[in-house]
Amino acid sequence: MAFERQDGGKAFLTVVDSVTLKPIIASGLGDKFHLEWLRWAGPQKVLFSISQMQDINGEETKVTRLLVLDIATGAAHAIGTRQMTETGDDVLWVDPKGQTILMQVRSSYYDYPEVYRFDLDDPKDHGSKVQREFTGVWDWYADTAGVVRLGIGYSTGKVMIYYRKKADDRFRQIARFDPDDKDESEEDSWNIQRIVEGSDQGYVIRKGDNGHQTLQLVNYETRKTIRTVYSNPDWDVDDVWFRDDGTPYAALYTDDTDHVVWLDPKLKSLQSGLNHALTEPQVWIGSSASDYSRALIYAGGPNDPGAVYLYDAKAKSLKPIFENRPQLAGKKLAMPKPIKYTARDGTVIHGYLTLPVGHASRALPLVLYPHGGPYGVRDKLHYDDWVQFMANRGYAVLQPNYRGSGGYGEAFSKLGDGQIGRKMQDDLDDAMDWAVKQGFADPKRVCVVGASYGGYAAMWAVIRNPDRYRCAASFAGVTDWNKQLKYDAGYFSHKGAKAWRNRVAGDNFDLDEVSPARHADRLTRPLLLTQGDADTNVPMSQFKRMVKAADKANVPVEELVFKDEGHGFDKPEDEQRWLETLDAFLAKNNPVG
């Protein structure tokens, strides 16, 4: 088993024997780097990506690098370019035996990508080019045998799709559509999942006849659907899990909780047995050996942090590996429940309400806790440390899935386009009004707490509506939208950056009007402003702009910076410090009484 482990404030990529649970190897990640992701490459190698912030042409930029850890030798070496770049970990295909990979490489931010094959056993291998750059193509796709078969490009405002049957064929255009034309884009846009070697077939997530995203087997050459593999009548397919040969074995969707639909009879049977063996409401089969002889099993619930077990098929046993938050064992935690309310324009908003244990459910101090993202992300009915922490202190916690959130269909998602700081913020205000009308929230004791976009929403809430909210706490919140979009543009093609800006800003809307750093002089409520100085999602410059603007306006802001932390917490002592600071901040500015 491979995972990231913290020890003495340092991070290690760690491999242990899944039978004995004894360590095999640990490779330090370095003080300045953060682990982006890891995955197996065959049975003896682990691919992993690291990131850090760098100043490129005067701008903060997240750069990445791909490395491989060879368990047999204990050595790790870089793959691809020796310098960290904006796209230094763009892996297209991994050889199931762990010998080679395909990577998409860009010489510079302005160049179209090429595809190289790299030998994972040779630290000195500079790669062999298997696909030259193709004007307009920003994304390449390989089939299950590692042959580049499809490219997606942009030209004169149109999306172009190029395809070939086999390695020695020339690419030819098979589709051209306007992404801004709803009828054209719905017909031709595919979320490409797999291309099956030796055929024109593959799997995509695409809107079905029921109006929801479905898993379909298609013919790439003819652009026709062969059959629908899985469709849910009420919810979109969120994700699909595949074997190395390109066969799907599970489809996932979300209502209030995540659900997995097993397409593999063996795993469907195993899931049924586990549901009977474990009493927790949520039981998940995680990573497993290719022959299913061993698997990691998670069991928990919305008010149960849960535990992870090692399943052994031969012994028919479940062996506990670790318990999440063991200090909470036996404690009665608060149970979140789903709610819904109607926003001022008639839009139905769903969310989750957690009431504190042992308190009367009337006129409670309230914490609005909007999620990050904002688009395509949502809160769910699952265990959340911060929710339980605030509820434990006596607060009602309300998590609205405001317009633009994922999981409620395309129409609801698009309601958030161009509405940051406007109707999306109205939804938070309306959530407060609903809570007050229901009687469990005291309208004079409401604060907003959030991280990432939720941190922005918290700041903007007290600037926009100081009459409503007593205080706000922001972790890694955006403070200047135009500056953030300029930073984000480094991770998109020109067309993608424009589309992202259009979605955030809408038509000709000046984002300075809803940027907290531009309106610090209007801040009259207490604000706790926190950030990790190694954040690669919302750069540290966003924090600094808000601090500078507040200083200029002579407005006091409580500041907290975490050294070498990113867009979340790697070090438990830092998260504890954040929660203790938040605890004191809420107790001072929105006391439970």
Side-chain angles (χ1 to χ4, degrees):
M1 299 187 292
F3 51 89
E4 181 182 6
R5 178 175 61 90
Q6 297 288 327
D7 187 5
K10 296 184 181 297
F12 296 86
L13 174 58
T14 304
V15 179
V16 303
D17 187 293
S18 64
V19 176
T20 66
L21 300 184
K22 292 182 178 180
I24 297 173
I25 192 171
S27 179
L29 298 176
D31 294 336
K32 299 294 183 182
F33 302 110
H34 292 270
L35 183 68
E36 289 286 308
W37 55 262
L38 62 86
R39 61 160 294 175
W40 287 96
Q44 289 295 318
K45 298 184 183 72
V46 181
L47 286 175
F48 62 105
S49 167
I50 58 173
S51 68
Q52 69 173 173
M53 297 296 292
Q54 285 186 3
D55 186 295
I56 299 179
N57 298 325
E59 294 289 337
E60 286 183 290
T61 305
K62 180 173 78 170
V63 292
T64 57
R65 176 187 291 167
L66 183 68
L67 297 97
V68 60
L69 173 65
D70 190 317
I71 297 172
T73 65
H77 65 265
I79 302 293
T81 58
R82 294 304 184 259
Q83 294 78 31
M84 300 183 77
T85 66
E86 296 97 323
T87 55
D89 61 350
D90 196 353
V91 177
L92 300 187
W93 173 83
V94 178
D95 171 19
K97 296 179 180 179
Q99 295 174 343
T100 62
I101 63 168
L102 293 184
M103 276 185 67
Q104 191 165 266
V105 177
R106 291 164 61 186
S107 299
S108 75
Y109 170 72
Y110 302 100
D111 292 312
Y112 294 112
E114 299 176 314
V115 181
Y116 283 78
R117 187 182 304 276
F118 292 96
D119 184 341
L120 297 181
D121 291 317
D122 184 0
K124 297 181 179 180
D125 180 38
H126 295 295
S128 57
K129 187 187 300 185
V130 299
Q131 177 58 52
R132 64 173 179 81
E133 68 175 47
F134 197 103
T135 300
V137 172
W138 288 104
D139 294 290
W140 293 105
Y141 294 84
D143 66 17
T144 52
V147 176
V148 179
R149 297 274 300 278
L150 188 145
I152 297 181
Y154 306 91
S155 177
T156 62
K158 302 288 186 179
V159 175
M160 322 288 284
I161 301 180
Y162 303 91
Y163 177 76
R164 65 181 179 182
K165 284 177 169 291
K166 51 185 184 296
D168 54 358
D169 284 353
R170 294 176 61 89
F171 279 98
R172 58 188 181 84
Q173 182 182 311
I174 60 170
R176 180 176 182 269
F177 63 92
D178 184 348
D180 297 323
D181 185 312
K182 183 179 179 181
D183 294 332
E184 281 193 25
S185 62
E186 285 188 3
E187 176 65 26
D188 291 297
S189 59
W190 288 351
N191 184 342
I192 297 168
Q193 299 292 307
R194 289 294 188 277
I195 304 172
V196 179
E197 64 179 285
S199 77
D200 291 317
Q201 297 184 7
Y203 296 90
V204 301
I205 294 177
R206 185 187 190 191
K207 183 177 287 188
D209 294 335
N210 63 358
H212 292 287
Q213 297 295 314
T214 64
L215 173 62
Q216 298 182 10
L217 177 67
V218 301
N219 184 300
Y220 282 99
E221 184 174 38
T222 65
R223 306 281 295 163
K224 300 297 183 182
T225 299
I226 298 172
R227 63 183 174 90
T228 297
V229 179
Y230 177 73
S231 169
N232 187 289
D234 301 309
W235 303 96
D236 289 342
V237 172
D238 297 324
D239 197 8
V240 185
W241 294 343
F242 289 89
R243 296 192 185 90
D244 290 333
D245 65 0
T247 305
Y249 67 88
L252 289 82
Y253 72 91
T254 303
D255 44 29
D256 282 318
T257 61
D258 293 323
H259 297 271
V260 60
V261 178
W262 296 110
L263 307 176
D264 183 305
K266 285 186 178 180
L267 289 172
K268 184 177 181 180
S269 175
L270 174 58
Q271 181 75 64
S272 177
L274 291 168
N275 289 343
H276 283 91
L278 296 165
T279 59
E280 289 85 347
Q282 296 171 358
V283 178
W284 279 83
I285 302 172
S287 181
S288 65
S290 58
D291 60 357
Y292 309 128
S293 59
R294 294 180 307 285
L296 296 177
I297 310 298
Y298 165 80
N303 69 336
D304 178 359
V308 175
Y309 301 83
L310 180 66
Y311 167 73
D312 187 312
K314 186 175 181 180
K316 295 184 178 180
S317 66
L318 282 170
K319 180 180 180 180
I321 296 179
F322 63 82
E323 186 177 0
N324 294 322
R325 303 288 182 251
Q327 302 90 336
L328 298 180
K331 306 290 185 182
K332 186 176 182 180
L333 303 184
M335 175 61 83
K337 66 176 185 179
I339 60 97
K340 65 179 179 180
Y341 61 93
T342 302
R344 65 191 67 181
D345 66 351
T347 301
V348 175
I349 307 293
H350 294 260
Y352 302 95
L353 170 66
T354 305
L355 297 178
V357 175
H359 292 253
S361 301
R362 305 295 298 176
L364 290 164
L366 175 69
V367 172
L368 275 179
Y369 182 37
H371 63 74
Y375 302 119
V377 181
R378 56 165 290 183
D379 279 318
K380 305 172 187 177
L381 199 61
H382 66 175
Y383 177 82
D384 186 298
D385 273 328
W386 294 8
V387 168
Q388 292 294 335
F389 180 83
M390 291 183 286
N392 177 267
R393 296 318 193 254
Y395 297 97
V397 183
L398 184 55
Q399 300 168 269
N401 279 327
Y402 45 80
R403 68 191 66 208
S405 299
Y408 296 100
E410 183 181 23
F412 185 82
S413 178
K414 287 186 176 298
L415 286 177
D417 291 2
Q419 295 303 322
I420 282 177
R422 297 190 283 173
K423 288 185 178 181
M424 291 165 75
Q425 204 74 23
D426 290 344
D427 292 344
L428 303 186
D429 294 346
D430 294 344
M432 173 196 161
D433 290 344
W434 173 85
V436 171
K437 186 177 181 180
Q438 296 297 309
F440 61 78
D442 181 346
K444 296 181 179 179
R445 292 191 293 167
V446 185
C447 281
V448 191
V449 176
S452 194
Y453 177 83
Y456 157 76
M459 284 184 282
W460 189 236
V462 291
I463 292 174
R464 182 183 191 241
N465 300 116
D467 55 315
R468 284 179 168 269
Y469 304 110
R470 292 181 63 140
C471 58
S474 167
F475 176 80
V478 173
T479 68
D480 187 318
W481 278 106
N482 281 313
K483 295 292 186 182
Q484 181 67 34
L485 289 178
K486 184 177 180 181
Y487 172 79
D488 290 343
Y491 306 101
F492 290 100
S493 66
H494 176 73
K495 180 77 174 179
K498 183 180 179 181
W500 176 236
R501 170 171 280 278
N502 288 342
R503 182 166 200 193
V504 172
D507 295 331
N508 301 316
F509 178 70
D510 184 359
L511 287 168
D512 284 349
E513 292 186 20
V514 292
S515 293
R518 303 288 181 173
H519 301 278
D521 59 326
R522 293 166 52 189
L523 182 62
T524 59
R525 297 299 192 186
L527 171 62
L528 172 60
L529 191 65
T530 62
Q531 181 92 15
D533 69 0
D535 195 333
T536 57
N537 290 58
V538 176
M540 187 64 185
S541 57
Q542 290 284 321
F543 175 92
K544 293 178 179 178
R545 285 190 178 92
M546 188 63 191
V547 170
K548 183 177 180 180
D551 287 345
K552 184 178 180 180
N554 197 28
V555 174
V557 171
E558 185 174 343
E559 304 167 30
L560 182 61
V561 176
F562 296 97
K563 184 175 175 56
D564 297 331
E565 290 284 17
H567 204 58
F569 291 101
D570 287 334
K571 304 169 187 175
E573 59 269 24
D574 283 342
E575 186 165 17
Q576 178 169 333
R577 184 181 169 206
W578 150 249
L579 290 174
E580 289 174 345
T581 304
L582 176 63
D583 191 10
F585 178 81
L586 291 175
K588 177 182 178 181
N589 298 295
N590 194 25
V592 172

